[in-house]
Amino acid sequence: MRQIDRVLIAGGGPIGTVTGLRLARHGIPVTVFDRLPKPAEDHRAATLQPSTLDLFEDLGLTDEILRQGLRSPIFQWRDRVTQEVVAEFDYSVLADESAHPYVIQLEQHRTVYVALAAAAKVAEFTMVRPAEVISVRQEADFVEAAVQMEDGSVEIHRGRYLVGCDGGRSIVRKAIGVSFEGFTWPERFNIIGVPFDFEAAMGYRLRNYCAHPDRWVSLMKVPGEDHLGLWRCLFPAKAEESDEEVMSDEWIQARFAECLPAGAPYEIIHRNMYSVHQRVAGGFRAGRILLAGDAAHVNNPIGGMGMNSGFQDGLNLADKLAQIWQGAEPDALLDRYDRQRRLTAIEYVQAQSIANKRALEERDPGKRCEILDNLRRVAEDPKQHYEFVRRSSLIAMLRSAEAIA
């Protein structure tokens, strides 16, 4: 039994690491357990919104993220049927509300490494890996986590609170019996990395959403392992297409042939296929056990909202735990965390990411025309443009959460 007056965190991905760093900066001892020997490099999240960059300033992370990442002030919506640029949205309209009116494109694992480097300088932060939290339990005044170590042995760790940041299949969430209501999209997503330069060759921005009733695609540029630039192209796979087919060179090259100029075959640097879910936990709190990030809510990646909203969860919770550490009444604060983050996850992340996907894939000609025409009108009207970007950047979500009593 390891009985320590500290916070335990299950999951050392981006949300668990940043939450732990914030707690440690508050002077709270924290132990983070992660089942992997190093941060996952599976090519998923890569967008850091203005709201996140602002929040990261207090942690001292923003300067290094700006140094490593690609700055993207504008994103495009395109129609792949007509090859028309339907609308462009400019984050610079947020200049009076954000110190960082742009998006930074940076691979998720690079963001984690920046946070880990900062955490290594704080004595109160401990990362244990590979080590997986396999069960949890709680009493009136403590929580316990059973942690399986690399050699198969199991250690029992005790703390005052435990935060589940262990992903969409969260062991912590299942252990406390919290529901995870929602649905799974019928198609899978395949992210393909290519060095082909869409910006130079075709006038794309660094973030682009290309609507099509049958084969939509989103494209964004990230630094890549060599820092020379790599384009991530997200294609939907139809339900009737097998995993083997979708991962094949033939299927991938066929998708590129639909939207790239002549010159195939294109060099493929990586491919990553996964199922896509829209779900929200029935509660973000059960006694001394809290949920944050994908353990609390998952969504499709169109719009770059999932990881960023998870950062808001973790930092919100860390600040409330710091107040509790200083003697504040815990139940009121932790119940408020649940209200603030769960309600806004439903209102902003779920609603917006579902709307984004449906805008890309709409098949009905009349509805499709209506959606694209509305995007044009929104982009052209200064007030609507501002509100759209404020919502897309998750600044609106952050302010809304703060206002919930």
Side-chain angles (χ1 to χ4, degrees), residues 37-273:
K38 66 176 184 176
E41 300 180 9
D42 56 355
H43 301 283
R44 292 198 187 186
T47 297
L48 294 168
Q49 297 283 1
S51 54
T52 297
L53 298 172
D54 291 345
L55 289 171
F56 278 7
E57 283 284 5
D58 286 344
L59 293 173
L61 305 180
T62 304
D63 287 349
E64 181 60 19
I65 284 171
L66 296 182
R67 188 187 72 79
Q68 293 191 30
L70 301 178
R71 188 174 301 200
S72 176
I74 297 173
F75 64 98
Q76 281 187 351
W77 277 83
R78 290 185 171 224
D79 182 358
R80 271 204 51 231
V81 174
T82 64
Q83 302 303 319
E84 172 193 10
V85 176
V86 174
E88 287 196 334
F89 294 95
D90 189 345
Y91 280 102
S92 68
V93 300
L94 301 174
D96 290 340
E97 194 162 3
S98 171
H100 309 91
Y102 44 79
V103 154
I104 290 295
Q105 292 296 116
L106 185 66
E107 294 93 331
Q108 174 179 298
H109 64 276
R110 294 186 187 278
T111 298
V112 175
Y113 280 123
V114 171
L116 285 172
K121 301 174 184 178
V122 186
E124 288 80 6
F125 183 97
T126 301
M127 172 70 76
V128 182
R129 65 189 332 157
E132 183 175 13
V133 174
I134 57 174
S135 68
V136 299
R137 75 177 193 92
Q138 61 181 316
E139 298 291 345
D141 55 355
F142 67 86
V143 293
E144 281 184 359
V147 182
Q148 186 168 38
M149 309 306 291
E150 186 175 20
D151 62 5
S153 63
V154 175
E155 297 181 355
I156 304 298
H157 290 255
R158 181 174 288 186
R160 286 173 61 179
Y161 294 94
L162 184 143
V163 185
C165 299
D166 51 341
R169 298 178 179 178
S170 172
I171 290 171
V172 173
R173 187 189 64 246
K174 294 174 183 176
I176 59 178
V178 171
S179 64
F180 205 36
E181 298 175 359
F183 63 91
T184 299
W185 295 98
E187 65 270 64
R188 293 135 295 153
F189 286 5
N190 199 356
I191 297 181
I192 313 299
V194 296
F196 180 86
D197 192 344
F198 285 83
E199 185 179 27
M202 302 175 67
Y204 280 79
R205 298 294 188 174
L206 299 192
R207 296 175 66 225
N208 313 271
Y209 305 99
C210 307
H212 191 277
D214 191 49
R215 291 291 192 184
W216 57 268
V217 60
S218 73
L219 308 99
M220 64 180 65
K221 188 177 184 181
V222 297
E225 295 304 315
D226 57 7
H227 296 277
L228 298 178
L230 183 72
W231 283 84
R232 285 187 177 182
C233 309
L234 189 156
F235 295 102
K238 297 178 180 178
E240 63 269 21
E241 295 172 322
S242 69
D243 290 356
E244 182 180 15
E245 179 183 3
V246 173
M247 292 292 280
S248 70
D249 287 349
E250 292 76 16
W251 188 92
I252 293 169
Q253 296 294 346
R255 301 290 76 74
F256 282 125
E258 294 167 352
C259 59
L260 287 174
Y266 293 89
E267 181 183 2
I268 300 170
I269 303 300
H270 69 74
R271 64 195 85 192
N272 180 36
M273 183 181 66

Side-chain angles (χ1 to χ4, degrees), residues 280-298:
V280 179
F284 287 14
R285 181 211 177 187
R288 292 177 172 271
I289 300 176
L290 297 307
L291 302 175
D294 283 358
H297 49 86
V298 292

